[in-house]
């Protein structure tokens, strides 16, 4: 195949990332691009062009290469669908770690890594189990044996867990969940998205002020103390960090919970195999992460110098998007990739990214997902969708894919 350095005529009218028509299949354009060349030019939503990386091997190469920057303030950084106002906003606020490079990023990550060690997470396990059991008690108390699983379980579990870890009052969950939902939906008008960012930043700034006066046993208080010891307190930087952790800490896992339930209920043989041997849950979680690849455009970068990759030269200043969904459906890496197979045992997927920015919260997410699926299918063995699958509303337009609501019964 000849690598294209301009958008091929076949893709002229297609904007990437392409909206998913259903939760189970990748857009047909992805396989088309993957078969022809692993790195090719596409049109990104909003009109600009960027390189599209569709295979796993090249995806990992890009994400591990420090010549590709995560700094959203740089010209050429692909921000699908973002207008000028959104770009300006990125420039006017200090980046969180997801938008930093090199030593600055490494230092920020070092400051937080101790909060997510295996030991820390093992200590959290009993509390996560208690939280999941509490919400399932409430679910089972529904007099008509039906509920929206997003509202009843998928959103509250990771929200309460991250609130306790960070030191955010859970009573404020409606507020921060709504702000985050507006932020990740591409159909939110830009001014409204801007307001959601300002509101959430304002809220977190006030919260940090309160923690300065009255520290608690939580991540925000520990970060405050740590930064104080090191000298000057960078308040806007701390707010950016808090923003990333709160938003990434609940919205992502919530979508994986609801999609995981959809995936297992739609593949009864897989669910039966899981029920027969709950020891398989960690593998099932890994496969569901691969299969749904809910985060797509976050693994975008911009080249800081000319880079040869996949048979093409990405020029300095050009944007590049590694598609987690396309990479996770790469038949060269995952045989029969469109099949959900909980026995696959493949951990080299890109659901959490790869390289220096690989998801900081991945083991927390795994812990929550394992406990939720184990507990839900054990305690609610007759769980089923309350409507046909094609009546479930998904979020084809969101930066993080998921179900908008999930009517279930038992
Ligand atoms: C980064 C996915 C859960 C915090 C990332 C990245 C992906 C991702 C793909 C890489 C972005 C890049 O390369 O630029 C997911 C998925 C999750 C999940 C699919 C759930 C199933 C969480 C949770 C937290 C979290 C629970 C909570 C603390 C972060 C942070 C980063 C990150 C702080 C930035 C890391 C860095 O820049 O070094 N996540 N995430 N994530 N995630 Fe997650």
């Amino acid at each position: 195949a000849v690598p294209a350095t301009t958008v091929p005529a076949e893709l002229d009218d297609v904007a990437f990332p392409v909206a998913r028509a259903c939760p189970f299949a990748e857009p047909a354009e992805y396989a088309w691009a993957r078969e022809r060349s692993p790195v090719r030019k596409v049109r990104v939503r909003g009109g600009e062009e960027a390189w599209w990386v569709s295979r796993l091997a090249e995806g990992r190469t890009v994400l591990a290469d420090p010549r590709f920057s995560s700094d959203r303030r740089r010209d050429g950084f692909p921000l699908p669908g973002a207008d000028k106002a959104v770009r300006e906003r990125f420039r006017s606020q200090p980046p969180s770690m997801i938008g930093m490079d090199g030593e600055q990023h490494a230092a920020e990550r070092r400051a937080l890594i101790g909060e997510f060690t295996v030991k820390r997470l093992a200590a959290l396990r009993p509390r996560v189990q208690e939280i999941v059991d509490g919400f399932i008690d409430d679910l089972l108390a529904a007099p008509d044996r039906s509920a929206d699983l997003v509202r009843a379980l998928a959103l509250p579990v990771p929200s309460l867990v991250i609130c306790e870890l960070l030191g955010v009052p859970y009573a404020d969950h409606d507020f921060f969940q709504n702000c985050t939902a507006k932020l990740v939906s591409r159909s939110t008008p830009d001014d409204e998205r801007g307001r959601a960012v300002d509101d959430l930043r304002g809220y977190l700034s006030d919260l940090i002020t309160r923690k300065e006066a009255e520290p608690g046993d939580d991540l925000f208080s520990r970060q405050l103390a740590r930064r104080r010891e090191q000298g000057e307190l960078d308040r806007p930087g701390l707010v950016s960090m808090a923003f990333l952790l709160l938003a990434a800490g609940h919205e992502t896992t919530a979508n994986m919970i609801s999609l995981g339930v959809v995936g297992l209920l739609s593949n009864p043989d897989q669910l039966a195999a899981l029920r027969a041997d709950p020891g398989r849950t960690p593998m099932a979680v890994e496969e569901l992460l691969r299969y749904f690849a809910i985060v797509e455009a976050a693994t975008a970068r911009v080249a800081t110098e000319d880079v040869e990759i996949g048979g093409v030269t990405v020029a300095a200043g050009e944007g590049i998007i590694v598609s987690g969904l396309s990479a996770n459906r790469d038949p060269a890496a995952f045989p029969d990739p469109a099949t959900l197979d909980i026995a696959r045992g493949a951990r080299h997927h890109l659901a959490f990214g790869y390289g220096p920015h690989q998801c900081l919260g991945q083991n927390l997410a795994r812990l929550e997902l394992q406990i939720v699926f184990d507990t839900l299918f054990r305690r609610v063995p007759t769980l089923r969708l309350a409507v046909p699958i094609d009546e479930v509303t998904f979020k084809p337009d969101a930066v993080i894919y998921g179900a908008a609501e999930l009517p279930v019964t038992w």
Side-chain angles (χ1 to χ4, degrees):
V2 180
T5 51
T6 54
V7 178
E10 293 90 334
L11 296 182
D12 241 2
D13 298 329
V14 184
F16 282 66
V18 182
R20 305 181 201 202
C22 88
F24 306 118
E26 62 172 348
E29 291 84 357
Y30 289 13
W32 188 96
R34 201 169 49 224
E35 279 154 22
R36 279 157 186 82
S37 50
V39 185
R40 66 163 48 236
K41 276 265 173 80
V42 297
R43 198 172 317 289
V44 176
R45 287 164 186 244
E48 53 178 346
E49 292 188 354
W51 294 94
W52 179 258
V53 185
S54 51
R55 292 189 202 159
L56 183 87
E58 285 77 9
R60 287 162 71 109
T61 305
V62 169
L63 296 177
D65 188 330
R67 293 174 294 174
F68 292 110
S69 165
S70 288
D71 189 343
R72 279 124 177 99
R73 297 168 303 179
R74 281 179 186 261
D75 286 334
F77 190 97
L79 293 168
D83 73 352
K84 234 176 141 195
V86 173
R87 288 183 179 278
E88 280 314 310
R89 193 168 288 277
F90 272 115
R91 294 211 166 100
S92 66
Q93 283 155 357
S96 69
M97 66 191 299
I98 206 164
M100 293 177 183
D101 293 328
E103 191 38 48
Q104 190 194 18
H105 169 258
E108 187 82 357
R109 194 154 165 129
R110 271 197 305 275
L112 275 171
I113 204 87
E115 299 283 350
F116 296 93
T117 57
V118 176
K119 204 171 146 204
R120 271 287 169 95
L121 291 173
L124 268 183
R125 180 175 274 276
R127 178 60 188 143
V128 176
Q129 182 68 59
E130 197 173 31
I131 287 172
V132 171
D133 274 319
F135 286 116
I136 294 180
D137 288 344
D138 296 347
L139 179 81
L140 288 171
D144 60 351
R145 294 175 158 260
S146 69
D148 166 16
L149 202 74
V150 172
R151 290 263 137 221
L153 190 74
L155 252 180
V157 167
S159 299
L160 181 50
V161 170
I162 200 72
C163 277
E164 291 190 357
L165 185 70
L166 300 179
V168 173
Y170 183 68
D172 299 334
H173 66 96
D174 279 340
F175 165 75
F176 69 74
Q177 286 167 350
N178 284 336
C179 289
T180 310
K182 279 187 192 153
L183 247 151
V184 298
S185 167
R186 291 204 181 93
S187 47
T188 306
D190 286 326
D191 57 335
E192 214 176 297
R193 185 179 310 172
R195 262 200 309 280
V197 172
D198 291 344
D199 289 351
L200 193 51
R201 282 192 76 93
Y203 168 82
L204 289 166
S205 179
D206 292 347
L207 181 64
I208 285 167
T209 306
R210 292 209 300 277
K211 298 221 173 270
E212 273 184 280
E214 245 178 276
D217 178 16
D218 55 60
L219 187 149
F220 286 170
S221 299
R222 287 188 289 274
Q223 288 297 314
L224 258 167
R226 187 190 167 105
R227 284 171 191 236
R228 273 240 201 78
E229 273 165 29
Q230 287 169 347
E232 208 181 315
L233 178 68
D234 165 22
R235 180 179 286 276
L238 195 57
V239 171
S240 295
M241 185 205 77
F243 192 110
L244 172 67
L245 290 175
L246 181 58
H250 78 278
E251 177 72 21
T252 48
T253 311
N255 286 312
M256 262 320 295
I257 291 174
S258 49
L259 286 177
V261 169
V262 168
L264 290 167
L265 290 179
S266 308
N267 290 272
D269 55 326
Q270 298 293 304
L271 180 55
L274 182 61
R275 278 218 178 98
D277 177 8
R280 292 186 185 172
T281 307
M283 270 210 311
V285 164
E286 230 43 55
E287 174 65 351
L288 291 164
L289 285 161
R290 176 195 74 84
Y291 187 76
F292 289 113
I294 58 170
V295 179
E296 210 172 344
T299 39
R301 303 286 187 267
V302 59
T304 58
E305 51 186 276
D306 293 359
V307 183
E308 303 264 335
I309 176 147
V312 301
T313 303
V314 178
E318 287 185 326
I320 185 161
I321 298 175
V322 176
S323 167
L325 178 57
S326 179
N328 284 1
R329 298 289 178 110
D330 180 352
F334 308 100
D336 195 10
T339 299
L340 180 79
D341 174 8
I342 64 161
R344 187 184 293 274
R347 285 180 65 102
H348 58 301
H349 58 74
L350 287 191
F352 290 122
Y354 183 72
H357 288 275
Q358 195 180 46
C359 182
L360 182 73
Q362 58 184 288
N363 288 327
L364 175 60
R366 287 189 173 103
L367 177 74
E368 295 181 61
L369 293 169
Q370 288 169 15
I371 293 178
V372 165
F373 297 141
D374 263 349
T375 313
L376 180 65
F377 291 112
R378 175 170 48 77
R379 292 193 56 195
V380 197
T382 56
L383 187 78
R384 61 181 195 278
L385 296 184
V387 296
I389 181 77
D390 49 7
E391 285 175 25
V392 177
T393 321
F394 293 95
K395 301 188 266 189
D397 219 33
V399 177
I400 303 170
Y401 187 70
E405 46 180 40
L406 191 59
V408 293
T409 185
W410 55 89

